[in-house]
Amino acid sequence: MPISKIRWALGSLAALMLAFPAHADGQEEKRLVSPIVVTGDSGSAVLGLAYEFKRKSSRDFSNPAADGGDDWEEIDTDKLEWGYTLKGTITGDPENNPENFMEFDLFLNYVKLADLKSISDCQSITCDPWQHQFGGVYKYEADQSLDDKQTVLGLRYLSHYGFRVPGTYKTSSDLYLSVAFGEVTPIADGERQQILGDALEPFNRWDLQALYKVRVDQLLGDYAEDLELSYRYFSEVDAPEVIEQAELDRFGHAKAVLNLKNNMFIAYTDGELPLDRAADSTFKLGWNWDLAALGL
């Protein structure tokens, strides 16, 4: 990818993030750190720290009620969202990191909000509990040591399907889908360089993800809150035959997370990720610590 494209994308997103906050209707911030104990295929336990930092601003384009009126002109609203997400896992020894993949994500999305109703109110065909998002994304992906790294510039579609629990703002279950297509520009990639030589060429890639989240507190009582099941799939478009033979063109990663009371969780993962190509199966026990909620 030409450097000019990357600079244009970064410059445009940065300018939007700096300019829009003054006009934002809402802001959301997450600073989550999670001390964890991870065991991989080797059987040895590894201490680590999972992290997710997110900042999102939004501008609402819904039509409010006219002066003196009580009803809004539209139930569904349009919204513009922009921000960033940084997430990954750090361990004392990068070579023993079973989830050795870091992502920094800059995004700008147009959002079509849905009116989430209770299941009893959602029997007619006119009820649409889907929320749709479409926008541009620039990503920086790397391993913990930053030996292997790459950028991604592309488009992404996201959707959310959920039903609200009657009398609350919580949903009883949620389905999230994400489809992204972008141009990947390798900066350093030892395995691809061994096969293709020093001249690493950009390539196109699909990034698909599905996540289902369901509340389990009624089933497991006071011990758990919800269960998350997700699968992520990466596929290089028209990969060279030598890349296919080396199995560097496609990666799949499954994850199950049981969120417990008191911000604790148990997780199981299996599969591979870009730049973390060892097919590990891991168990993880951790505790979520939201710095933003604590005012830190």
Side-chain angles (χ1 to χ4, degrees):
M1 176 184 297
I3 296 298
S4 58
K5 283 188 180 180
I6 297 176
R7 288 176 176 172
W8 178 85
L10 284 174
S12 299
L13 287 171
L16 287 168
M17 291 178 193
L18 291 173
F20 276 137
H23 306 283
D25 297 313
Q27 293 193 23
E28 176 183 325
E29 190 168 7
K30 176 191 290 186
R31 296 194 296 273
L32 194 68
V33 295
S34 306
I36 57 173
V37 178
V38 186
T39 59
D41 290 338
S42 64
S44 61
V46 178
L47 296 177
L49 186 72
Y51 58 90
E52 181 178 356
F53 299 93
K54 181 176 182 178
R55 184 178 180 86
K56 180 174 68 175
S57 300
S58 61
R59 178 72 170 91
D60 195 337
F61 297 105
S62 58
N63 298 315
D67 292 342
D70 296 324
D71 297 327
W72 287 52
E73 295 179 17
E74 295 182 2
I75 296 178
D76 293 336
T77 62
D78 299 332
K79 187 165 66 170
L80 191 67
E81 293 183 343
W82 60 94
Y84 68 85
T85 301
L86 172 66
K87 58 183 178 180
T89 301
I90 299 174
T91 59
D93 183 1
E95 299 299 324
N96 292 328
N97 187 344
E99 294 186 355
N100 195 5
F101 187 56
M102 180 269 286
E103 295 178 273
F104 176 67
D105 185 324
L106 289 170
F107 62 87
L108 174 66
N109 295 327
Y110 165 78
V111 183
K112 184 68 173 179
L113 297 177
D115 182 31
L116 299 184
K117 301 177 182 291
S118 66
I119 295 178
S120 60
D121 293 335
C122 234
Q123 301 300 326
S124 69
I125 196 171
T126 58
C127 177
D128 179 14
W130 285 98
Q131 174 180 298
H132 306 279
Q133 299 184 38
F134 181 80
V137 59
Y138 173 83
K139 293 178 62 179
Y140 179 85
E141 302 173 344
D143 60 7
Q144 179 179 331
S145 62
L146 301 181
D147 291 334
D148 295 332
K149 44 189 174 286
Q150 59 194 21
T151 62
V152 186
L153 180 62
L155 300 173
R156 181 167 56 196
Y157 168 77
L158 305 98
S159 62
H160 168 216
Y161 183 90
F163 285 104
R164 184 179 297 168
V165 177
T168 75
Y169 288 101
K170 297 181 179 180
T171 53
S172 57
S173 62
D174 299 86
L175 175 64
Y176 299 88
L177 301 174
S178 172
V179 179
F181 181 81
E183 185 178 65
V184 180
T185 302
I187 301 173
D189 189 329
E191 290 189 75
R192 290 183 73 95
Q193 283 178 304
Q194 287 181 357
I195 297 172
L196 301 175
D198 293 333
L200 292 173
E201 296 293 334
F203 58 90
N204 293 324
R205 186 186 74 183
W206 287 101
D207 179 355
L208 313 176
Q209 185 173 11
L211 185 149
Y212 180 67
K213 182 176 181 179
V214 59
R215 297 190 63 84
V216 295
D217 49 349
Q218 292 184 350
L219 179 64
L220 300 179
D222 295 333
Y223 300 102
E225 294 185 348
D226 52 58
L227 174 67
E228 299 178 18
L229 303 172
S230 65
Y231 185 76
R232 195 167 182 185
Y233 180 73
F234 301 84
S235 179
E236 182 176 340
V237 179
D238 297 327
E241 185 176 352
V242 289
I243 293 296
E244 292 180 351
Q245 292 174 348
E247 299 183 347
L248 297 179
D249 60 322
R250 298 180 182 181
F251 307 99
H253 189 262
K255 187 174 185 178
V257 181
L258 180 62
N259 291 307
L260 307 173
K261 299 292 185 179
N262 300 317
N263 298 321
M264 297 193 68
F265 64 90
I266 301 172
Y268 170 78
T269 66
D270 181 70
E272 305 166 291
L273 289 166
L275 308 181
D276 181 24
R277 294 156 182 156
D280 291 328
S281 297
T282 69
F283 286 95
K284 182 183 350 179
L285 173 64
W287 173 56
N288 290 323
W289 190 22
D290 192 343
L291 302 181
L294 297 174
L296 300 176

